[in-house]
Amino acid sequence: MGDTPFSERTLEVLLHPQHWALVSSVCPPDMPAVHDERHAAWMREHSHDHPMREILIALTDGGTQGYQGRCYRRRRGGVFCFAAHEAHDCYVPAWTPDEDQLWLFLGGSEVVCHLVQIRAGEAQPSEWRLVLSQERLPLEVSALFGVGGDSLPAALARMRLLSALSLLIAEILTAALQQEPALGDEEDFPQQIVRSIAQHIRDTVGKDLTLDVLAHLSGYSKYHLLRLFKQHTGQTIHAYINDCRAVRVAELLQQRRSMKQIAEMLGFSSPAAFSRWRRSHGA
């Protein structure tokens, strides 16, 4: 298939969706949960949920994946779809065997893709990354998470999910084969990823977003991401979140929302915490 960042073995996985094993809340999982006491204990301390939607495709056989309190084997061709606020593993335990993964992070208008290698129990993102803009997406990303199809029979819901995933992977492979920037020549990848993160912060007003989550999205370390964000926006991530919150607060006040409602919508622990934030930021 020409010169792509994918090996012949991993391409074989991506080009044959009929062999994928889906794990999603959209339909019953294609693989059974497994009993893994060691991973279950680790998962209780290393699980997170956040507003991002993610897809993990296991390109090789690997370790155990925690999802919604259960454990599954990451076998070659396993596809895990994590909807917003569905708890799943944060990183991997030290005993994880070497494996290769493809991660997709889905925002409102973009998909961020990167390859990850697990080596010696650590996740190591590769240099290849891709951002697909809405114009390049063959579908609404909501179709990947069953939005609008909650009442469908399980078999039909799975068909819709598999079809949507297949279209998305086909577009990713096409962009990789063509070796062209998905958002145009005017931006390099660091600019693309910072812009994508900034958009995600605006969409969520920073609610339930942590630096760990944003670094996971970018494929960079937390410290490198902080430097890139400041370089390309002129602001720290913390300041950018506060500015987005201030704009949203003004909109909600115009809608005559109560302080309690606004505090909940912006993710503050209480109206008192929200009031303290308002005083310190003049919002």
Side-chain angles (χ1 to χ4, degrees), residues 49-255:
D49 65 85
H50 48 69
M52 288 195 307
R53 296 171 294 185
E54 303 173 279
I55 296 172
L56 162 61
I57 302 178
L59 301 176
T60 61
D61 289 334
T64 302
Q65 179 64 47
Y67 171 53
Q68 295 285 73
R70 296 184 175 183
C71 296
Y72 299 88
R73 295 291 181 218
R74 279 194 306 271
R75 68 170 180 81
R76 186 168 179 258
V79 180
F80 298 84
C81 299
F82 308 129
H85 297 293
E86 289 186 342
H88 56 281
D89 286 353
C90 180
Y91 304 110
V92 295
W95 60 83
T96 301
D98 291 355
E99 62 180 284
D100 297 331
Q101 304 172 342
L102 175 64
W103 279 89
L104 313 178
F105 303 93
L106 297 93
S109 60
E110 295 174 344
V111 176
V112 178
C113 323
H114 57 81
L115 290 165
V116 173
Q117 293 181 323
I118 308 297
R119 298 292 184 268
E122 292 187 1
Q124 303 172 2
S126 74
E127 294 183 0
W128 178 85
R129 299 179 179 90
L130 179 70
V131 179
L132 287 178
S133 66
Q134 178 134 17
E135 292 72 25
R136 292 290 301 267
L137 297 180
L139 71 161
E140 288 291 332
V141 296
S142 59
L144 294 163
F145 299 95
V147 177
D150 296 337
S151 61
L152 294 177
L156 181 54
R158 185 187 184 282
M159 179 185 290
R160 292 178 77 241
L161 172 60
L162 184 60
S163 299
L165 277 169
S166 300
L167 286 171
L168 180 56
I169 294 300
E171 192 59 37
I172 290 169
L173 292 177
T174 299
L177 179 63
Q178 294 173 344
Q179 297 183 332
E180 60 183 30
L183 295 178
D185 295 331
E186 72 279 3
E187 291 185 311
D188 58 18
F189 184 80
Q191 289 174 300
Q192 293 175 20
I193 197 64
V194 166
R195 184 178 45 73
S196 182
I197 287 174
Q199 180 64 54
H200 196 72
I201 291 172
R202 291 194 297 274
D203 290 343
T204 61
V205 204
K207 183 178 179 181
D208 298 326
L209 287 180
T210 66
L211 183 56
D212 280 335
V213 169
L214 294 176
H216 186 44
L217 163 64
S218 72
Y220 295 118
S221 71
K222 291 185 288 187
Y223 306 105
H224 190 48
L225 174 61
L226 289 170
R227 288 193 296 271
L228 284 176
F229 197 91
K230 181 69 178 293
Q231 175 186 338
H232 290 289
T233 68
Q235 290 183 283
T236 65
I237 290 176
H238 183 68
Y240 193 84
I241 288 175
N242 283 328
D243 283 354
C244 291
R245 283 178 168 174
V247 170
R248 185 64 176 143
V249 166
E251 294 172 349
L252 293 172
L253 287 173
Q254 285 187 338
Q255 298 172 16

